[in-house]
Amino acid sequence: MTAETTTAPGDPTDYTAARTALLAAPDLAGSARRTALAGLTDRWLTGLLAAAEPPPGVALVAVGGYGRGELAPRSDLDLLLLHDGAEVGALADRLWYPVWDSGVALDHAVRRLPEARAVAAEDLKAQLGLLDARHIAGDADLTAALRSTILADWRAAAPRRLPELRELGRERAERHGELSFLLEPDLKEARGGLRDLVALDAIAASWLADAPRDGLDAACRRLADVRDALHLTTGRATDRLALQDQDQVAAALGVLDADTLLREIYQAARTISYAADVTWRSVDRVLAARGARSRRPFGFPFSGAGRAAGGVGRGVIARRPLAEGVVEQDGEAVLAQGTRPAADPVLPLRAAAAAAQVGLTVSHPTVRRLAAECGPLPVPWPAEARAQLITLLGAGEPCVPVWEALEAEGLITRLLPDWERVRCRPQRNAVHTWTVDRHLVETAVRAAALTRRVARPDLLLVAALLHDLGKGWPGDHSVAGEVIVRDVAARMGFDQDDTESLALLVRHHLLLIETATRRDPDDPATVDLIAKTVGTTLHLELLQALTEADALATGPAAWSGWRAGLVAGLVSRVAAVLAGDPVLPRAAAFGVDEERLAVEAAGSGAPALTLHAETAHQPLAGEPMGVRLALAIPDRPGLLGLVSGVLALHRLAVRSLTLGELDPIGAGPVLLFSWTVATEYGELPEAARLRADLRRALDGSLDVGRRLTERDAAAPRRRGIATPPPVVSVAPGGASADATVLEVRAHDAPGLLHRIGRALDGAGVRVRTAYVSTLGADAVDAFYLTDPAGRPLTDHAARAVVETVQHALAPAG
């Protein structure tokens, strides 16, 4: 029986039979069936009202879900009997009793227009239902008056009611969780469910904002289809997709299996959740702008002083630079004017990293433009792309909304094609909180808080992101993941040694936790086996941090003080075995060009330098990947802090530094600095200007510290993100036979090396050699220190230096 041939007489038995036939019709499914069911019900209710012979000024109105014109098989009928003051008590009974007799659940009310309006003003949920009011039968003008009045009231009260609506959504999310990750999700009430679509429609009705519509209708239909199948297979009016019902629901929908069903649900929920996030940010901006206008004194928008100070006047949009081609505007990262995404395939990662590092997200129009215009990255990736990915992951929790924005527009799978196999993949293990892909992101978030514990935070963050990619393939996911990560790491541009390290971490990411909890950690054979597997102390510390991050991101049951203690004890024993073959830092090596600079500096007594741009092995349209600065200066106290301060004044961010000394002509030692720097934004400084400022700093006419302090004080304060505190320590004995090795791990920031250098100078120690590297947003530095006589520091002196540097890096205030 089709919808066209179905009739609906007033007898509830006839309606029930017609309804049953419609739901069983093989040629009806999905949205068409829901619309047909609503139409069938409309005709039946119209007949009931006509048979009841209503007086003038009465209308029967569908509200809520029924008002939207689609009925799920077991949905309630939300009805309002609207009247203009006529006597309708008996009429209501003649309507409601047949509905009850049919067995259909009924939510009903009888009100005059002023009463409906008053209830809506007091009850947000009632107002939301009335926003979907739809005429069924009776006085159409009365229904039209209701709709126009409720809409006008809603728009007038939107600045007050929308925050209430948002709070309702937050409360629902706390009670029901996120639909995108639940094994037994509530299709309606969970975040990303059908109820959020109602909220988005309400926001659109306010005229303050509208949701991004791409994919939203399809996501709505998919969730509604699943709910229909759930109603029909269980015979109950339930929105919770229980585990025992998933196979039947999948079969009813023609889906391969329950896992495929969940993936489709998760994808739909993510579309809705992302649309909601974007829309609520738009609402926030509109409401904030209205509040600012209401508080602004008369004449302020036209104040020249306000404009000169950076104030926002009429038609003036405040933009603050975040990175090359990226600015902050209205609390989001957007593209700078004149930026050409088509010529800059690294731009999506640069924008994402810049946004996450200051706790922002990338605006929806910007992400869409990046997805539409940016081409694919070359293979292997340029060095900047790899660094920007690491910086994004190193932001920790603020990385998540940025990642979600990129994923919503397909940019993640474009960067990492292997991501698609784990995207929205459920994990049918009670210990897991997240889908596979979100677990990987959460592991990177947890790893970001552990970067101070490892010498290679970049490898830790990338291993955290990739460690479970093998779950998209048959067999042992660790074995499959090792194969995948070798390919991914090579495409990212990691060298052979780093690729092997990443492959080892992925292959053995469960080794420590499984061994510590399932084997005897005191058995020498166990310790020897792990030592042989990891090979180096670097791998051991990375594996320990990855183990903790992985467990913390899995769920509360996967990590505890007891497990942490077992792993730490095992790691301590393995480290003792590995200590017999320590990995020593590489020695500084300088080429002919650096030696020539040293001769020039020794002869002139002044700084000598060369400055040139480096490009990647596969350059992006000739764009510079970094700036190589070779500098030679006759040795004197405080050079490291002074030179790094001059670079900071020129807005040059240090990517790496090797420092050593030569005595080329027997006139005294010359310090050789080999820097790789990058411009924060803007143009590269001229070598002559940089040399002049170095000379001024050396002769005292340029007070570097004061200039940096003044510039920082004048800069607008932008909110930052929470980062792990800096760690300053002395490397264990054996790291160097003739120097004390000071290790500093900190969040990279302008002037960081200047502060470290000044602290070391103030401590009265000599920096003989230094290895400085910036890995993503993390600085990992090692300084080989001696006393003025050239001897390693005493234990007491070393502790004092640690305290001095730690104090210098402490946040202000």
Side-chain angles (χ1 to χ4, degrees):
M1 181 180 294
T2 66
E4 287 75 13
T5 59
T6 299
T7 60
D11 190 326
T13 304
D14 293 339
Y15 170 71
T16 302
R19 178 189 178 97
T20 301
L22 185 150
L23 294 177
D27 58 341
L28 275 181
S31 181
R33 180 171 57 202
R34 292 188 292 275
T35 301
L37 182 57
L40 170 69
T41 306
D42 285 355
R43 292 191 295 277
W44 177 49
L45 292 172
T46 299
L48 288 177
L49 184 65
E53 299 180 352
V58 173
L60 186 60
V61 182
V63 298
Y66 183 27
R68 291 187 289 276
E70 289 196 352
L71 272 179
R74 296 287 176 175
S75 287
D76 295 354
L77 295 184
D78 296 321
L79 292 171
L80 170 64
L81 185 60
L82 189 66
H83 63 96
D84 61 2
E87 176 55 48
V88 294
L91 174 66
D93 289 343
R94 290 195 294 272
L95 284 174
W96 307 149
Y97 275 100
V99 176
W100 289 325
D101 289 343
S102 73
V104 177
L106 174 65
D107 187 359
H108 63 91
V110 179
R111 293 192 177 100
R112 294 184 299 114
L113 178 55
E115 293 170 340
R117 186 181 184 187
V119 169
E122 294 295 325
D123 186 340
L124 179 58
K125 293 181 180 179
Q127 189 169 33
L128 293 175
L130 288 170
L131 287 175
D132 292 311
R134 180 175 60 84
H135 183 71
I136 296 177
D139 188 340
D141 290 339
L142 191 58
T143 303
L146 171 72
R147 281 185 52 82
S148 62
T149 299
I150 294 298
L151 279 170
D153 289 348
W154 174 248
R155 288 163 185 158
R160 174 176 58 87
R161 307 234 66 174
L162 285 179
E164 296 178 31
L165 178 60
R166 188 175 200 174
E167 187 57 32
L168 279 180
R170 286 172 175 161
E171 292 172 358
R172 279 192 294 103
E174 289 178 3
R175 288 196 304 272
H176 300 283
E178 292 195 56
L179 180 53
S180 300
F181 309 115
L182 296 169
L183 282 176
E184 292 187 311
D186 189 309
L187 301 169
K188 184 176 183 179
E189 302 293 347
R191 181 174 183 266
L194 294 167
R195 187 75 76 183
D196 278 345
L197 288 163
V198 176
L200 290 176
D201 287 341
I203 295 171
S206 74
W207 289 351
L208 292 184
D210 195 10
R213 293 290 164 180
D214 290 349
L216 198 58
D217 289 342
C220 175
R221 288 194 299 272
R222 195 53 182 157
L223 292 187
D225 289 349
V226 174
R227 183 173 65 166
D228 286 358
L230 179 61
H231 285 188
L232 291 172
T233 57
T234 64
R236 293 180 288 110
T238 180
D239 297 315
R240 183 171 175 269
L241 183 61
L243 290 173
Q244 65 267 22
D245 300 324
Q246 291 175 7
D247 288 326
Q248 284 182 285
V249 172
L253 292 170
V255 174
L256 178 63
D257 55 28
D259 276 2
T260 304
L261 173 65
L262 283 180
R263 291 191 77 176
E264 292 184 359
I265 292 171
Y266 294 163
Q267 288 169 357
R270 289 190 186 183
T271 298
I272 296 168
S273 294
Y274 177 63
D277 289 341
V278 171
T279 306
W280 281 117
R281 286 199 298 271
S282 296
V283 170
D284 288 343
R285 286 194 297 273
V286 172
L287 295 182
R290 287 188 173 187
R293 285 197 298 270
S294 67
R295 293 189 300 270
R296 186 176 297 151
F298 178 76
F300 176 81
F302 306 101
S303 167
R307 291 174 184 263
V312 181
R314 181 174 299 174
V316 179
I317 299 176
R319 288 173 170 245
R320 298 183 179 90
L322 296 177
E324 189 66 38
V326 186
V327 298
E328 176 188 348
Q329 178 184 312
D330 287 337
E332 295 180 319
V334 302
L335 297 184
Q337 295 178 356
T339 300
R340 296 183 299 118
D344 189 357
V346 181
L347 187 56
L349 282 173
R350 189 186 310 123
Q357 282 293 320
V358 293
L360 304 176
T361 190
V362 184
S363 76
H364 175 63
T366 296
V367 177
R368 292 197 64 189
R369 185 181 173 195
L370 291 172
E373 298 183 24
C374 281
L377 284 169
V379 177
W381 288 10
E384 186 199 355
R386 192 167 61 253
Q388 297 292 0
L389 173 65
I390 294 162
T391 301
L392 169 62
L393 299 176
E397 193 65 39
C399 164
V400 175
V402 177
W403 190 273
E404 290 175 338
L406 298 185
E407 185 186 58
E409 295 298 331
L411 284 167
I412 295 300
T413 50
R414 185 186 301 180
L415 292 167
L416 301 170
D418 299 278
W419 196 260
E420 184 60 35
R421 294 186 71 98
V422 297
R423 184 173 184 266
C424 294
R425 180 174 290 274
Q427 303 201 74
R428 293 188 176 275
N429 184 327
V431 75
H432 274 283
T433 302
W434 309 106
T435 55
V436 176
D437 62 328
R438 181 59 179 269
H439 168 70
L440 293 174
V441 176
E442 291 290 333
T443 304
V445 168
R446 298 289 188 167
L450 306 176
T451 51
R452 301 295 177 267
R453 288 173 25 183
V454 300
R456 290 293 303 274
D458 55 334
L459 296 183
L460 172 62
L461 292 169
V462 173
L465 183 69
L466 304 179
H467 75 277
D468 273 351
L469 274 187
K471 287 185 175 179
W473 297 85
D476 186 331
H477 76 279
S478 297
V479 175
E482 178 185 6
V483 176
I484 295 168
V485 81
R486 288 183 190 278
D487 176 62
V488 173
R491 281 190 275 121
M492 286 182 174
F494 284 100
D495 63 25
Q496 185 62 37
D497 288 344
D498 287 348
T499 297
E500 291 300 320
S501 294
L502 288 168
L504 182 147
L505 292 172
V506 171
R507 173 66 180 86
H508 298 291
H509 70 270
L510 298 175
L511 176 65
L512 293 181
I513 190 67
E514 290 185 347
T515 303
T517 57
R518 301 178 187 177
R519 300 280 296 275
D520 179 6
D522 293 320
D523 186 344
T526 300
V527 176
D528 286 342
L529 176 62
I530 295 179
K532 290 177 182 177
T533 300
V534 300
T536 68
T537 53
L538 171 65
H539 291 156
L540 181 63
E541 70 176 14
L542 285 169
L543 199 59
Q544 182 182 13
L546 177 59
T547 299
E548 182 173 340
D550 185 17
L552 289 170
T554 296
W559 195 246
S560 64
W562 171 73
R563 288 173 177 257
L566 290 178
V567 170
L570 178 61
V571 168
S572 177
R573 294 177 180 87
V574 175
V577 172
L578 294 174
D581 184 20
V583 180
L584 299 178
R586 61 185 177 88
F590 296 103
V592 174
D593 291 339
E594 285 88 351
E595 291 180 3
R596 187 180 300 114
L597 283 176
V599 171
E600 179 184 342
S604 66
L609 64 86
T610 59
L611 186 67
H612 65 275
E614 290 183 330
T615 55
H617 296 297
Q618 293 187 353
L620 292 176
E623 288 294 319
M625 297 305 302
V627 179
R628 185 74 171 177
L629 170 61
L631 173 65
I633 305 179
D635 194 11
R636 53 176 278 185
L639 279 181
L640 177 61
L642 186 146
V643 174
S644 56
V646 172
L647 297 184
L649 280 178
H650 285 266
R651 298 191 183 279
L652 292 173
V654 177
R655 294 288 175 256
S656 66
L657 162 67
T658 301
L659 183 153
E661 65 177 31
L662 288 174
D663 187 358
I665 61 174
V670 173
L671 283 190
L672 275 168
F673 297 84
S674 181
W675 308 79
T676 300
V677 296
T679 55
E680 294 177 11
Y681 38 80
E683 298 295 328
L684 183 68
E686 296 178 358
R689 183 179 174 189
L690 190 59
R691 185 184 297 108
D693 281 350
L694 283 169
R695 286 178 173 170
R696 291 172 57 212
L698 289 169
D699 66 24
S701 59
L702 174 62
D703 189 333
V704 175
R706 182 175 61 81
R707 286 282 302 277
L708 285 172
T709 300
E710 291 173 349
R711 190 181 71 181
D712 291 344
R717 294 300 175 192
R718 182 186 297 120
R719 62 177 180 172
I721 60 173
T723 61
V727 173
V728 183
S729 60
V730 174
S736 174
D738 52 5
T740 298
V741 181
L742 183 76
E743 296 179 341
V744 179
R745 299 172 184 176
H747 186 79
D748 191 32
L752 174 67
L753 191 56
H754 172 66
R755 284 185 283 157
I756 295 172
R758 289 189 63 179
L760 293 176
D761 184 40
V765 296
R766 181 169 172 267
V767 181
R768 193 194 69 194
T769 310
Y771 301 98
V772 172
S773 58
T774 303
L775 305 171
D778 292 300
V780 180
D781 305 338
F783 302 93
Y784 285 65
L785 308 177
T786 67
D787 63 18
R791 299 183 300 262
L793 305 182
T794 65
D795 291 344
H796 176 75
R799 286 193 297 270
V801 171
V802 168
E803 293 177 1
T804 299
V805 176
Q806 191 83 50
H807 178 74
L809 299 183

